[in-house]
């Protein structure tokens, strides 16, 4: 086997090595079926067990009861930007959004395209999305309050979720889903593109509270209705079978090898601490997010100039540290340290950063 790198890619992102090994081991003959999971009918008992296992583990990890449905929907997180207002906007009532960066902006645009009464009740655009807004008012008129829990590109994250009273929260959790425990009760809907924290790309996990299903307008196209997915256990049409299978394995790893979301959060905090301590202790690296809003998943930072940043990314790659270039829209550097990125990888990055500062700084 070739050498695997320390992968800090923002997405598609690193998967846990034990999961990749399990996929490899059962790829040619899935549990005695004589074929791979990619070649098995989605109507078979094999796949029933796969999808039900993934759903059950999701609910168990997040502490959710039967008042939530777990769905797998193709089209990534981006399709959810339009499905949310289509399904959950109440007639004659506004939809509220908090704008904390690129992904929130895209979600807002999709609601506006549909002609909704979109209210942006808080935004951090005034300081280049470098912080999480506080002290805003949520008014009970709103159909829902949409926010992005972790801003993958700017490296900010909600330390605690907004309080919205009876207004259901709707959250794009793509880049910190399953990275820490949550209280699911205030959420009407949670969605996450799988390729950051729970699996390969190709589908989003959507968790919808049962009462939200009553809102879905009759006239929507079948494939754009959450009820189509909830009524058929995401098997109305052929789902992303392989993706769902890998998600199931990642969740099993999270539960059995990591020990659940509290244990995961402890590890994630330690990984982030190592990098932020290094950045704060250096006159060379500069974090781009305000300290109180820093992400535990995407550590964004700058070097003194762009030449050094290019050299940093290039030298790191030579040392087997990949994916450190910032998003093309903002430049700089970014280390994405999702669940599957190990403490060992983070320590290797910290060592490299210290060394680079000493030799180039
Ligand atoms: C990556 C990302 C998306 C886009 O996901 P796709 O699956 O590519 O549509 C949306 N929101 C957030 C927060 C992301 O990190």
């Amino acid at each position: 086997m070739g050498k695997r790198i320390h992968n800090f890619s923002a997405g598609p992102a690193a998967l846990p090595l034990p999961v990749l090994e399990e996929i490899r081991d059962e790829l040619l003959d899935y549990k005695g079926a004589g074929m791979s999971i990619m070649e098995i009918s989605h109507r078979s008992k094999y796949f029933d067990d796969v999808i039900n296992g993934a759903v059950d583990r999701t609910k168990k990890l997040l502490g959710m009861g039967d008042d939530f449905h777990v769905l797998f929907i193709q089209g990534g997180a981006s399709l959810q930007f339009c499905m949310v207002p289509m399904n959950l906007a109440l007639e004659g009532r506004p939809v509220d959004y908090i704008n904390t960066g690129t992904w929130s902006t895209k979600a807002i645009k999709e609601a506006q395209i549909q002609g909704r009464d979109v209210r942006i009740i808080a935004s951090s655009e005034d300081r280049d999305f470098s912080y999480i807004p506080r002290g805003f008012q949520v008014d009970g008129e709103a159909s829902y309050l949409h926010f992005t829990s972790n801003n993958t590109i700017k490296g900010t994250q909600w330390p605690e979720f907004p309080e919205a009273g009876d207004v259901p929260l709707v959250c794009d959790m793509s880049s910190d889903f399953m990275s820490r425990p949550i209280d699911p009760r205030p959420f009407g809907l949670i969605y996450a593109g799988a390729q950051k924290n729970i699996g390969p790309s190709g589908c989003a996990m959507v968790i919808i509270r049962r009462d939200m299903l009553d809102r879905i307008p009759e006239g929507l196209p079948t494939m754009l209705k959450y009820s189509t997915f909830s009524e058929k256990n995401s098997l109305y049409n052929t789902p992303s079978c392989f993706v769902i299978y890998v998600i199931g394995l990642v969740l099993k790893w999270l539960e059995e090898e990591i020990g659940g979301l509290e244990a995961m959060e402890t590890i994630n905090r330690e990984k982030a601490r190592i990098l932020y301590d290094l950045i704060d202790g250096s006159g060379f690296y500069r974090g781009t997010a305000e300290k109180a809003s820093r992400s535990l998943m995407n550590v964004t930072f700058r070097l003194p100039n762009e030449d050094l940043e290019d050299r940093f990314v290039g030298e790191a790659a030579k040392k087997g540290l990949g994916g450190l270039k910032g998003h093309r829209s903002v430049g700089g550097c970014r280390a994405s340290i999702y669940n599957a990125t190990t403490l060992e990888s983070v320590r290797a990055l910290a060592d490299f950063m210290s060394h680079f500062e000493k030799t180039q700084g």
Side-chain angles (χ1 to χ4, degrees), residues 75-79 81 103 148 150-152 172-175 191 193-196 203 338:
S78 297
L79 183 64
F81 298 158
W103 300 114
T148 313
N150 182 74
N151 300 284
T152 326
D172 176 358
M173 247 181 233
S174 295
S175 52
Y191 61 95
Q195 70 275 19
K196 310 280 164 57
C203 90
Y338 301 122

Side-chain angles (χ1 to χ4, degrees), residues 269-278 343 346-347 350:
R269 283 195 181 280
E270 176 62 8
K271 291 184 310 194
R273 187 195 62 76
I274 291 170
L275 296 182
Y276 287 124
D277 278 359
L278 188 146
L343 259 171
V346 170
R347 290 198 183 106

Side-chain angles (χ1 to χ4, degrees), residues 198-256:
I198 57 165
S201 62
C203 90
M205 185 184 277
V206 176
I207 299 172
I208 186 166
R209 207 170 65 201
R210 198 178 286 277
D211 58 309
M212 295 293 110
L213 294 168
D214 301 336
R215 299 182 173 201
I216 301 171
E218 268 308 307
L220 285 187
T222 309
M223 282 298 285
L224 295 177
K225 276 175 156 163
Y226 290 122
S227 47
T228 301
F229 294 83
S230 64
E231 283 162 16
K232 302 281 188 206
N233 195 26
S234 304
L235 293 166
Y236 171 78
N237 76 328
T238 320
S240 309
C241 296
F242 184 74
V243 177
I244 295 168
Y245 156 72
V246 179
I247 291 173
L249 295 182
V250 171
L251 298 180
K252 181 167 78 130
W253 165 83
L254 194 47
E255 190 181 331
E256 293 177 1

Side-chain angles (χ1 to χ4, degrees), residues 31-328:
K31 297 198 190 307
M35 50 189 160
S36 76
I37 191 68
M38 288 176 280
E39 304 165 289
I40 296 177
S41 168
H42 59 296
R43 309 279 174 211
S44 65
K45 169 87 170 70
Y46 290 105
F47 193 72
D48 263 349
D49 290 347
V50 165
I51 195 164
N52 292 335
V55 167
D56 291 348
R57 270 193 219 277
T58 299
K59 288 188 175 176
K60 192 167 160 206
L61 282 161
L62 294 170
M64 288 173 166
D66 285 337
D67 43 343
F68 288 93
H69 289 276
V70 177
L71 317 175
F72 301 94
I73 304 181
Q74 294 169 54
S78 297
L79 183 64
Q80 296 310 308
F81 298 158
C82 74
M83 276 182 77
V84 163
M86 274 179 183
N87 283 268
L88 303 187
L90 294 166
E91 202 49 49
R93 307 255 297 264
V95 292
D96 284 2
Y97 282 75
I98 300 176
N99 192 4
T100 52
T102 310
W103 300 114
S104 315
T105 304
K106 289 191 173 182
I108 290 164
K109 180 178 149 211
E110 293 301 314
Q112 285 167 337
I113 286 174
Q114 292 171 38
R116 303 289 169 195
D117 174 13
V118 179
R119 303 187 301 194
I120 298 165
I121 65 156
S123 167
S124 52
E125 197 171 6
D126 59 340
R127 292 206 299 279
D128 197 22
F129 297 120
S130 61
Y131 69 103
I132 296 295
R134 267 165 271 264
F136 45 83
Q137 289 296 316
V138 179
D139 118 43
E141 251 316 88
S143 301
Y144 57 78
L145 172 63
H146 181 285
F147 71 107
T148 313
S149 53
N150 182 74
N151 300 284
T152 326
I153 295 174
K154 294 290 187 179
T156 64
Q157 183 178 27
W158 290 79
E160 278 140 33
F161 298 134
E163 301 224 350
D166 290 336
V167 174
L169 295 177
V170 172
C171 185
D172 176 358
M173 247 181 233
S174 295
S175 52
D176 66 351
F177 188 54
M178 298 278 185
S179 69
R180 55 180 173 177
I182 60 163
D183 173 7
R185 287 170 301 180
F187 291 92
L189 188 140
I190 293 168
Y191 61 95
Q195 70 275 19
K196 310 280 164 57
N197 238 341
I198 57 165
S201 62
C203 90
M205 185 184 277
V206 176
I207 299 172
I208 186 166
R209 207 170 65 201
R210 198 178 286 277
D211 58 309
M212 295 293 110
L213 294 168
D214 301 336
R215 299 182 173 201
I216 301 171
E218 268 308 307
L220 285 187
T222 309
M223 282 298 285
L224 295 177
K225 276 175 156 163
Y226 290 122
S227 47
T228 301
F229 294 83
S230 64
E231 283 162 16
K232 302 281 188 206
N233 195 26
S234 304
L235 293 166
Y236 171 78
N237 76 328
T238 320
S240 309
C241 296
F242 184 74
V243 177
I244 295 168
Y245 156 72
V246 179
I247 291 173
L249 295 182
V250 171
L251 298 180
K252 181 167 78 130
W253 165 83
L254 194 47
E255 190 181 331
E256 293 177 1
E257 294 192 43
I258 298 295
L261 296 187
E262 268 172 46
M264 192 73 254
E265 179 176 15
T266 304
I267 298 169
N268 286 333
R269 283 195 181 280
E270 176 62 8
K271 291 184 310 194
R273 187 195 62 76
I274 291 170
L275 296 182
Y276 287 124
D277 278 359
L278 188 146
I279 289 168
D280 291 342
S282 112
F284 184 69
Y285 300 106
R286 181 174 54 81
T288 59
E290 286 186 9
K291 283 189 186 174
S293 302
R294 279 172 164 175
S295 169
L296 301 180
M297 298 278 103
N298 309 97
V299 177
T300 50
F301 56 96
R302 307 290 318 222
L303 276 65
N305 61 57
E306 284 182 23
D307 272 355
L308 277 170
E309 287 170 350
D310 286 345
R311 213 178 315 149
F312 175 85
V313 171
E315 289 293 315
K318 281 190 214 151
K319 295 257 161 33
L321 303 155
L324 290 165
K325 210 171 164 45
H327 190 268
R328 60 187 187 284

